[in-house]
Coordinates of all heavy atoms in Angstrom, one line a residue:
L27 N 92.2 189.6 141.6 CA 90.9 189.7 142.2 C 90.5 191.2 142.5 O 89.4 191.7 142.3 CB 90.8 188.9 143.5 CG 89.5 189.0 144.3 CD1 88.3 188.5 143.5 CD2 89.6 188.2 145.6
A28 N 91.5 192.0 143.0 CA 91.3 193.4 143.3 C 90.9 194.1 142.0 O 90.0 195.0 142.1 CB 92.6 194.0 143.9
I29 N 91.6 193.9 140.9 CA 91.3 194.6 139.7 C 89.9 194.3 139.2 O 89.1 195.1 138.7 CB 92.4 194.2 138.6 CG1 93.7 194.8 139.0 CG2 92.0 194.8 137.3 CD1 94.9 194.4 138.2
V30 N 89.5 193.0 139.2 CA 88.2 192.6 138.7 C 87.1 193.2 139.6 O 86.1 193.7 139.1 CB 88.1 191.1 138.7 CG1 86.7 190.6 138.4 CG2 89.1 190.5 137.7
T31 N 87.2 193.2 140.9 CA 86.2 193.8 141.8 C 86.2 195.3 141.6 O 85.1 195.9 141.7 CB 86.5 193.4 143.2 OG1 87.8 193.8 143.6 CG2 86.3 191.9 143.5
L32 N 87.3 195.9 141.4 CA 87.3 197.3 141.1 C 86.5 197.7 139.9 O 85.7 198.6 139.8 CB 88.8 197.8 141.0 CG 89.0 199.3 140.8 CD1 90.4 199.7 141.4 CD2 89.0 199.8 139.4
A33 N 86.7 196.8 138.8 CA 86.0 197.0 137.6 C 84.5 196.9 137.8 O 83.7 197.6 137.2 CB 86.5 196.1 136.5
F34 N 84.1 195.9 138.6 CA 82.7 195.7 138.9 C 82.1 196.9 139.6 O 80.9 197.3 139.2 CB 82.5 194.5 139.8 CG 81.1 194.2 140.2 CD1 80.1 193.8 139.3 CD2 80.7 194.4 141.5 CE1 78.8 193.5 139.7 CE2 79.4 194.2 141.9 CZ 78.5 193.7 141.0
G35 N 82.8 197.5 140.5 CA 82.3 198.7 141.2 C 82.1 199.9 140.2 O 81.1 200.6 140.3
E36 N 83.1 200.0 139.3 CA 83.0 201.1 138.3 C 81.8 200.8 137.3 O 81.2 201.7 136.9 CB 84.3 201.2 137.6 CG 85.4 201.9 138.4 CD 85.0 203.3 138.8 OE1 85.0 204.2 137.9 OE2 84.7 203.5 140.0
I37 N 81.6 199.6 137.0 CA 80.5 199.2 136.1 C 79.2 199.7 136.7 O 78.3 200.3 136.0 CB 80.5 197.7 135.7 CG1 81.7 197.4 134.8 CG2 79.2 197.3 135.1 CD1 81.9 195.9 134.6
I38 N 79.0 199.3 138.0 CA 77.7 199.7 138.6 C 77.6 201.2 138.7 O 76.5 201.8 138.4 CB 77.7 199.1 140.1 CG1 77.7 197.6 140.0 CG2 76.5 199.7 140.8 CD1 76.5 197.0 139.4
R39 N 78.7 202.0 139.0 CA 78.6 203.4 139.0 C 78.3 204.0 137.6 O 77.4 204.9 137.5 CB 79.9 204.0 139.5 CG 79.9 205.5 139.7 CD 81.2 206.0 140.2 NE 82.2 205.8 139.1 CZ 82.4 206.7 138.1 NH1 81.6 207.8 138.0 NH2 83.3 206.4 137.2
I40 N 78.9 203.5 136.6 CA 78.7 204.0 135.3 C 77.3 203.7 134.8 O 76.6 204.6 134.2 CB 79.7 203.5 134.3 CG1 81.1 204.0 134.6 CG2 79.4 203.8 132.8 CD1 82.3 203.4 133.9
L41 N 76.8 202.5 135.1 CA 75.4 202.2 134.7 C 74.4 203.1 135.4 O 73.4 203.5 134.9 CB 75.1 200.7 135.0 CG 75.8 199.7 134.1 CD1 75.4 198.3 134.6 CD2 75.3 199.9 132.7
S42 N 74.7 203.4 136.7 CA 73.7 204.2 137.5 C 73.6 205.7 136.9 O 72.6 206.3 137.1 CB 74.1 204.3 138.9 OG 75.4 205.0 139.1
R43 N 74.7 206.2 136.3 CA 74.6 207.5 135.7 C 74.4 207.6 134.2 O 74.4 208.6 133.6 CB 76.0 208.2 136.1 CG 77.2 207.7 135.4 CD 78.4 208.5 135.8 NE 78.3 209.9 135.5 CZ 79.2 210.8 135.8 NH1 80.3 210.5 136.5 NH2 79.0 212.1 135.4
S44 N 74.2 206.4 133.6 CA 74.0 206.3 132.2 C 72.6 206.9 131.8 O 71.6 206.6 132.5 CB 74.1 204.9 131.7 OG 73.8 204.8 130.4
E45 N 72.6 207.6 130.7 CA 71.3 208.1 130.2 C 70.4 207.0 129.7 O 69.2 207.1 129.6 CB 71.5 209.1 129.1 CG 72.1 210.4 129.6 CD 71.1 211.3 130.4 OE1 69.9 210.9 130.4 OE2 71.5 212.3 131.0
V46 N 71.1 205.9 129.3 CA 70.3 204.7 128.8 C 69.3 204.2 129.9 O 68.2 203.8 129.6 CB 71.3 203.6 128.3 CG1 70.5 202.4 127.9 CG2 72.2 204.1 127.2
L47 N 69.8 204.2 131.1 CA 69.0 203.7 132.2 C 68.3 204.8 133.0 O 67.8 204.6 134.1 CB 69.8 202.9 133.2 CG 70.5 201.6 132.6 CD1 71.3 200.9 133.7 CD2 69.4 200.6 132.1
A48 N 68.2 206.0 132.4 CA 67.7 207.1 133.1 C 66.2 206.9 133.5 O 65.7 207.3 134.6 CB 67.8 208.4 132.3
D49 N 65.4 206.3 132.6 CA 64.0 206.0 132.9 C 63.8 205.0 133.9 O 62.8 205.0 134.6 CB 63.3 205.6 131.6 CG 63.3 206.7 130.5 OD1 63.3 207.9 130.9 OD2 63.1 206.4 129.3
F50 N 64.8 204.1 134.1 CA 64.7 203.1 135.1 C 65.3 203.5 136.5 O 64.6 203.2 137.5 CB 65.4 201.8 134.6 CG 65.4 200.7 135.6 CD1 64.3 199.9 135.8 CD2 66.5 200.4 136.4 CE1 64.2 198.9 136.8 CE2 66.5 199.4 137.3 CZ 65.4 198.6 137.5
A51 N 66.5 204.1 136.5 CA 67.2 204.4 137.7 C 67.5 205.9 138.0 O 68.2 206.2 138.8 CB 68.5 203.6 137.8
G52 N 66.9 206.7 137.2 CA 67.1 208.2 137.4 C 68.2 208.8 136.7 O 68.3 210.0 136.6
G53 N 69.2 208.0 136.3 CA 70.4 208.5 135.6 C 71.2 209.4 136.4 O 71.3 209.3 137.7
P54 N 71.8 210.4 135.8 CA 72.7 211.4 136.6 C 71.9 212.2 137.6 O 72.5 212.7 138.6 CB 73.2 212.3 135.5 CG 73.1 211.6 134.2 CD 71.9 210.7 134.4
R55 N 70.6 212.3 137.4 CA 69.8 213.1 138.4 C 69.5 212.4 139.7 O 69.2 213.0 140.7 CB 68.4 213.5 137.7 CG 68.6 214.4 136.5 CD 67.2 214.7 135.9 NE 66.4 213.5 135.6 CZ 66.6 212.9 134.4 NH1 67.4 213.3 133.5 NH2 65.8 211.8 134.2

């Protein structure tokens, strides 16, 4: 359970800094 939840947290962080979602969530900026 700890590993899966850790992966979920990393997925959210990587998506938030992704250039793919930059127009939606600001990306790295």
Side-chain angles (χ1 to χ4, degrees):
L27 177 62
I29 293 171
V30 172
T31 53
L32 185 151
F34 176 71
E36 285 299 289
I37 288 171
I38 296 297
R39 183 183 67 83
I40 292 171
L41 287 176
S42 67
R43 66 180 301 175
S44 172
E45 289 289 351
V46 176
L47 297 178
D49 293 337
F50 176 76
R55 299 182 300 276

